[in-house]
Amino acid sequence: MEKELNPLESLEIIKRTIEEAKGRFQDNGWMYIFWGTIIVICATGQFILQSYYPMYAPLIWLLTIAGFIQNMVYFARKAKQGKRSKNVISTILKAIGFSVGINISILGFGFWPYYNVAFVPTVIIFLSLYTIIIGRAIEFKQMFNIGVLVNILSFGMFFVDLKYQPLGLAAAAILLLLIPGLLLNRMKKT
């Protein structure tokens, strides 16, 4: 027969689960830096290439496929090590991150021609919502606040000329990925 938990014991389990999930994200802060860097390089590269070689500008985004492969190899190795037990929060957040990444990839590689001016704002909305969810789930106030701010600003991207939208995406990647990644790494060291 299972023992019923009192409210304090239940809160302690929830707190431990959140701290464990936060620890996983701190361990993977490099992943935010990695993806933030890739997106900044691709978006800035696309902006520059549009001026000189417009036909080839979208091809720079093929770098994301290399990033995806690198992630798959990394997580396959990590799964073999089996260092940590899974908890429900980490599992849900990982599923949300995977879903956001897959949806952005499908939109970018499959539906780019149909989106015209709405693609970049849509990507930024996806990324900001992901950042809001992660920030709230792991009780990381700065990450949550950055996500909310970028989410509000992302709707303004619908009114930015298509030519300049890659720069908006680069700025969003800095705010939503690079800065939280650096903060997560810093938290890990303290």
Side-chain angles (χ1 to χ4, degrees):
M1 192 162 126
E2 288 187 33
K3 175 189 166 198
E4 284 194 36
L5 299 174
N6 68 41
L8 286 175
E9 291 170 325
S10 296
L11 285 174
E12 184 58 36
I13 290 171
I14 292 168
K15 183 178 178 184
R16 261 196 328 257
T17 303
I18 290 170
E19 287 301 316
E20 185 178 318
K22 187 183 283 187
R24 286 176 191 251
F25 277 87
Q26 288 171 352
D27 290 345
N28 291 322
W30 71 269
M31 185 83 55
Y32 285 87
I33 297 168
F34 175 77
W35 279 106
T37 302
I38 287 178
I39 292 171
V40 168
I41 289 169
C42 289
T44 305
Q46 179 182 357
F47 176 75
I48 293 167
L49 286 170
Q50 281 174 348
S51 299
Y52 302 103
Y53 306 102
M55 280 180 40
Y56 301 110
L59 294 178
I60 196 162
W61 288 97
L62 293 175
L63 285 173
T64 60
I65 294 172
F68 179 75
I69 291 168
Q70 186 279 333
N71 274 9
M72 296 306 289
V73 169
Y74 171 79
F75 283 113
R77 286 182 182 162
K78 200 166 184 177
K80 283 184 183 178
Q81 293 173 354
K83 286 185 178 179
R84 288 188 169 178
S85 61
K86 294 181 180 181
N87 72 47
V88 69
I89 293 174
S90 295
T91 302
I92 291 169
L93 296 179
K94 192 185 305 182
I96 291 169
F98 182 77
S99 298
V100 165
I102 291 296
N103 278 282
I104 289 172
S105 298
I106 291 170
L107 287 172
F109 289 110
F111 296 94
W112 173 273
Y114 306 107
Y115 257 80
N116 198 11
V117 75
F119 179 71
V120 168
T122 302
V123 168
I124 296 172
I125 290 168
F126 266 116
L127 289 174
S128 64
L129 290 174
Y130 172 72
T131 303
I132 290 167
I133 292 167
I134 298 296
R136 181 66 188 111
I138 66 172
E139 297 180 342
F140 186 10
K141 192 174 184 176
Q142 294 96 328
M143 193 172 190
F144 176 81
N145 291 340
I146 289 170
V148 169
L149 174 68
V150 174
N151 184 259
I152 292 166
L153 295 175
S154 66
F155 292 97
M157 287 297 297
F158 286 103
F159 304 103
V160 172
D161 187 299
L162 190 59
K163 176 182 176 181
Y164 298 103
Q165 284 190 2
L167 295 178
L169 181 56
I174 290 168
L175 292 170
L176 296 171
L177 298 168
L178 282 173
I179 290 173
L182 293 169
L183 291 172
L184 284 166
N185 279 350
R186 191 175 76 191
M187 287 170 55
K188 180 181 175 183
K189 292 177 184 174
T190 58

